[in-house]
Amino acid sequence: MLDINFIRNNPDRVKQAIVHKHENAASIDQILELDTQRRSAIHACEQLKSKRNEKSKEVSELKKKGQNASAIIEETKKIGDEIKSYEEKLSGLEPQINNLLLRIPNIPATDVPIGKDAEDNVIVKAWGQRKTFDFAPMSHWELGRILNILDLERSSKISGSGFILLKGYGAKLERALFNFMLDVHTREHGYTELFPPFLVNRASMTGTGQLPKLEDDMYRTATDDLFLVPTAEVPVTNIHRDEILSYKEIPLYYTAYTPCFRREAGSYGKDTRGIIRVHQFNKVELVKIVKPETSYNELESLLLNAEKILQLLGLEYRVAKLCTGDMSFAAAKCYDIEVWAPGVGKFLEVSSCSNFEDFQARRMNIRFRDEDGKLRFVHTLNGSGLALPRTVIALLETYQQKDGSVTVPEVLQPYMGGINVIVKK
RNA sequence: GGAGAGGUGGCUGAGCGGCUGAAAGCGACGGUUUGCUAAACCGUUGUAGAGACUAAAUCUCUACCCCGGGUUCGAAUCCCGGCCUCUCCGCCA
């Protein structure tokens, strides 16, 4: 959420930013108009309240002396009615303003390239050698079927399309990967491991910015109005909602494994084969809560922490700095990490590392008391470290051999019971 | 799911419908004293909003004692609804 004061003082800058993010800037004028009405109503209302307080005091003094106060009481009743009418006006205006404000996207940072869509993203880094094959590399779904580790026919029988059933070494590989990732982030990168709830309430979903805009993309349990987490970002960042932290306790680094649930509404027909785009997937997430002046350095190190996983797995990847049009609603700056999948012949997004500045902190009301005792909003960041299905895709497709077996990278072998190759059982 | 108890500032804990933004204690911060530390003593110690040419400092006002309504001239205090916590019972992995 943006600061209403900031919008008031910089309406053109905000509108420009919204246009760059390909959202509708018209609501800014509407917000400003409603805000003017709101403030004048507050002013009038508060003056009346002040008057009422004075009169009430008079009543109390008269009564103490045993005198009749009915004239003043009558007068004050009328003031009370007027106050009520202003309060009604305000209780109409405030949710309107708030709803509009919650739908205004964050402003991109100044060094974010202005652009329309993924075409305009800027590749800022490429790592690893392109793997060459002396045979035609297979796709992960072919490999999964041959090795009997991935069974998409049966998962769609159980749940529907977009769900994954892993078997045998496929299941083990999944578990190996998120354990490995959590170990790297906790041991080498200083993150605290968390295991959060997988169902969260509306306030949490609003805090990180999934609601109100993206409700259609979320799984919701109707009876209790709880949402299945679309990412660990939601429960983890909301840990400190409505809290005041000390400058001594931040930065906070958290990592958590959760499954992630996404309806993927509106993406029908995209990436329908295999496990590139699914409704439920596993992910290890990195979340940082930091001081504003450090957040851009923290973003760079967060990105490196996520990249480290691919480096250790020996998978080729590249890093894209997203343009304004491709960034998410809440982000001020965002890098995507894309891993090369030779079987499908594509780079696949496995991580999005974002700095939200104080956009989420404002929604969640997470502040900290700085060295001078002042209250300020923290900055929040997060990134996948990493999303599993696409990492599995890259792994299977990159390490496949002519006979369909897949070698296991050395770092994963201890997590896989010591085996160095997955063969058909 | 049933029965009961309770939610007050950073924490503990008072609070009669007006004199309570809130006693007292603890903690924290500043100061005096001290070679240093401790102790003692003195002082300070919430947040948000609106307004004052106002960006900062300052001042004025308003609101906030879990949240939302209501009663009243006036609510931390009375009434209703909700949320949360604790205890007991039931059910259950």
Side-chain angles (χ1 to χ4, degrees), chain A residues 129-282:
Chain A
Q129 285 275 307
R130 177 64 48 95
K131 179 86 179 276
T132 54
F133 296 88
D134 53 9
F135 56 94
M138 282 186 276
S139 66
H140 61 281
W141 58 84
E142 291 169 306
L143 290 161
R145 187 176 40 79
I146 290 169
L147 294 169
N148 193 27
I149 57 174
L150 175 65
D151 189 340
L152 294 174
E153 286 78 26
R154 289 202 176 96
S155 59
S156 58
K157 172 171 72 182
I158 303 164
S159 302
S161 75
F163 290 88
I164 300 174
L165 171 62
L166 295 164
K167 302 195 291 197
Y169 279 117
K172 204 175 195 76
L173 177 64
E174 192 81 359
R175 185 155 60 90
L177 274 168
F178 61 69
N179 280 334
F180 160 69
M181 291 177 188
L182 287 168
D183 283 346
V184 171
H185 294 313
T186 53
R187 286 183 197 152
E188 292 174 32
H189 299 149
Y191 289 77
T192 300
E193 184 171 349
L194 301 172
F195 205 107
F198 298 164
L199 287 169
V200 296
N201 58 30
R202 211 165 257 285
S204 295
M205 291 289 273
T206 307
T208 30
Q210 281 74 19
L211 296 185
K213 209 192 137 203
L214 303 172
E215 181 152 359
D216 286 348
D217 206 30
M218 304 299 150
Y219 284 103
R220 173 172 161 261
T221 66
T223 332
D224 300 297
D225 201 31
L226 292 170
F227 294 83
L228 278 75
V229 295
T231 157
E233 163 195 356
V234 180
V236 173
T237 317
N238 272 282
I239 289 172
H240 297 290
R241 175 150 48 84
D242 291 318
E243 288 184 15
I244 295 170
L245 304 167
S246 158
Y247 69 92
K248 291 174 199 154
E249 359 172 16
I250 54 176
L252 287 164
Y253 294 180
Y254 292 131
T255 185
Y257 153 78
T258 68
C260 301
F261 302 92
R262 300 184 182 179
R263 295 189 60 235
E264 297 291 343
S267 68
Y268 300 115
K270 249 194 218 168
D271 308 317
T272 46
R273 294 220 62 183
I275 58 169
I276 296 177
R277 187 174 298 274
V278 286
H279 293 307
Q280 177 190 328
F281 61 94
N282 294 311

Side-chain angles (χ1 to χ4, degrees), chain A residues 40-53:
Chain A
S40 84
I42 287 174
H43 190 60
C45 189
E46 287 187 350
Q47 281 188 327
L48 288 167
K49 281 181 177 171
S50 173
K51 205 157 149 194
R52 181 179 65 183
N53 289 345

Side-chain angles (χ1 to χ4, degrees), chain A residues 87-149:
Chain A
E87 278 176 343
E88 270 161 28
K89 191 175 174 193
L90 279 169
S91 64
L93 284 169
E94 268 157 5
Q96 275 187 69
I97 295 171
N98 207 30
N99 284 338
L100 289 169
L101 225 41
L102 286 172
R103 288 167 194 273
I104 302 294
N106 201 0
I107 296 178
T110 48
D111 65 330
V112 168
I114 292 162
K116 201 160 126 272
D117 52 33
E119 293 292 299
D120 297 319
N121 295 343
V122 178
I123 305 300
V124 292
K125 185 175 190 176
W127 187 93
Q129 285 275 307
R130 177 64 48 95
K131 179 86 179 276
T132 54
F133 296 88
D134 53 9
F135 56 94
M138 282 186 276
S139 66
H140 61 281
W141 58 84
E142 291 169 306
L143 290 161
R145 187 176 40 79
I146 290 169
L147 294 169
N148 193 27
I149 57 174

Side-chain angles (χ1 to χ4, degrees), chain A residues 1-47:
Chain A
M1 181 153 66
L2 299 181
D3 183 359
I4 182 86
N5 276 304
F6 181 82
I7 298 177
R8 216 182 276 146
N9 296 329
N10 309 276
D12 294 330
R13 207 180 135 194
V14 174
K15 281 186 206 168
Q16 178 78 97
I18 297 172
V19 170
H20 285 157
K21 270 207 165 177
H22 294 282
E23 307 233 10
N24 187 1
S27 59
I28 291 299
D29 289 324
Q30 205 184 340
I31 288 172
L32 290 174
E33 167 57 27
L34 292 168
D35 177 54
T36 306
Q37 289 181 35
R38 177 180 143 267
R39 282 188 297 159
S40 84
I42 287 174
H43 190 60
C45 189
E46 287 187 350
Q47 281 188 327

Side-chain angles (χ1 to χ4, degrees), chain A residues 375-394:
Chain A
L375 284 178
R376 296 156 66 195
F377 285 107
V378 299
H379 279 193
T380 58
L381 302 95
N382 68 53
S384 332
L386 305 159
L388 285 205
R390 293 176 185 172
T391 306
V392 170
I393 292 170

